[in-house]
């Protein structure tokens, strides 16, 4: 069997490494750019939803959000109807940085898919979405404290 997950992992790590180097000048480190992008694209999102979206635990999200807030990329606003809920929004600095991140993402996408036809890109996208959905089942299962049988 082909090592598909190994290939996906190498791609993800290479792109993450490139991003961490290129985004250093913006004071973004260790994947924080991903949180900023999701907050920009979903203004008012809550931490729990962000955690589910990115597929990381709450502690990791909490640390990343604290750094983004301290560095002025995001702000938390208390929900008007439920004071226990903090909604996340990009600041002006966060919005400006998002546009740089988006350009980098578009460039990396173009490089990664160079030489592929539109049909091939659609096939890859559909197959990877199926892989993600399969993995999400286990992620939800393990996140709830269960153990997989393998």
């Amino acid at each position: 069997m082909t090592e598909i997950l190994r290939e996906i992992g190498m791609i993800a790590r290479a792109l993450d490494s490139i991003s961490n180097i290129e985004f250093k000048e913006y004071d973004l480190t260790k994947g924080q750019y991903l949180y900023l992008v999701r907050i920009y694209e979903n203004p008012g999102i809550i931490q729990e939803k962000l955690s589910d979206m990115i597929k990381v635990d709450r502690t990791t999200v909490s640390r990343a959000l604290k750094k983004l807030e301290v560095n002025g990329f995001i702000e938390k606003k208390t929900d008007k109807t439920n004071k226990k809920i903090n909604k996340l929004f990009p600041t002006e600095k966060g919005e400006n940085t998002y546009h740089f991140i988006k350009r980098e993402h578009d460039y990396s996408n173009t490089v990664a898919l160079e030489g592929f036809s539109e049909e091939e890109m659609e096939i890859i996208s559909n197959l990877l979405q199926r892989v993600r959905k399969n993995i999400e089942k286990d992620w939800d299962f393990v996140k709830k404290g269960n153990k997989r049988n393998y």
Side-chain angles (χ1 to χ4, degrees):
M1 181 173 160
T2 309
E3 291 289 337
I4 294 169
L5 294 181
R6 187 174 289 184
E7 291 295 324
I8 292 170
M10 285 189 293
I11 293 165
R13 284 187 300 279
L15 289 171
D16 196 47
S17 180
I18 290 168
S19 297
N20 283 333
I21 292 166
E22 292 186 339
F23 299 159
K24 193 175 265 186
E25 68 186 80
Y26 288 89
D27 291 325
L28 289 172
T29 58
K30 299 205 183 240
Q32 292 172 350
Y33 59 91
L34 180 58
Y35 299 90
L36 178 57
V37 166
R38 295 300 182 262
I39 292 167
Y40 178 89
E41 293 172 348
N42 302 277
I45 192 170
I46 61 171
Q47 184 172 326
E48 185 176 349
K49 183 85 170 159
L50 186 61
S51 172
D52 286 342
M53 188 179 282
I54 297 176
K55 304 293 182 239
V56 294
D57 62 82
R58 290 182 196 175
T59 305
T60 303
V61 172
S62 191
R63 274 193 303 261
L65 294 178
K66 186 69 179 161
K67 288 178 184 175
L68 287 171
E69 190 175 21
V70 166
N71 289 328
F73 292 103
I74 66 164
E75 60 184 340
K76 293 179 183 177
K77 294 182 181 176
T78 305
D79 185 77
K80 292 175 181 156
T81 57
N82 184 345
K83 302 293 183 198
K84 292 181 182 179
I85 296 175
N86 285 315
K87 294 186 174 188
L88 305 167
F89 295 91
T91 61
E92 184 177 344
K93 178 181 178 181
E95 289 179 10
N96 293 335
T97 305
Y98 166 83
H99 296 293
F100 172 77
I101 294 168
K102 179 76 169 95
R103 283 195 313 274
E104 185 278 337
H105 169 78
D106 292 345
Y107 177 81
S108 291
N109 219 28
T110 299
V111 169
L113 298 172
E114 185 177 337
F116 287 87
S117 69
E118 289 293 324
E119 183 182 2
E120 289 172 322
M121 287 187 270
E122 186 70 27
I123 290 169
I124 289 171
S125 178
N126 290 335
L127 293 174
L128 287 173
Q129 285 176 38
R130 285 176 53 195
V131 170
R132 177 184 46 81
K133 287 175 184 174
N134 288 341
I135 295 296
E136 280 178 343
K137 293 173 194 168
D138 272 7
W139 184 78
D140 286 332
F141 182 74
V142 171
K143 182 180 147 190
K144 293 175 182 163
N146 298 302
K147 262 189 120 27
R148 301 182 301 164
N149 293 320
Y150 42 84

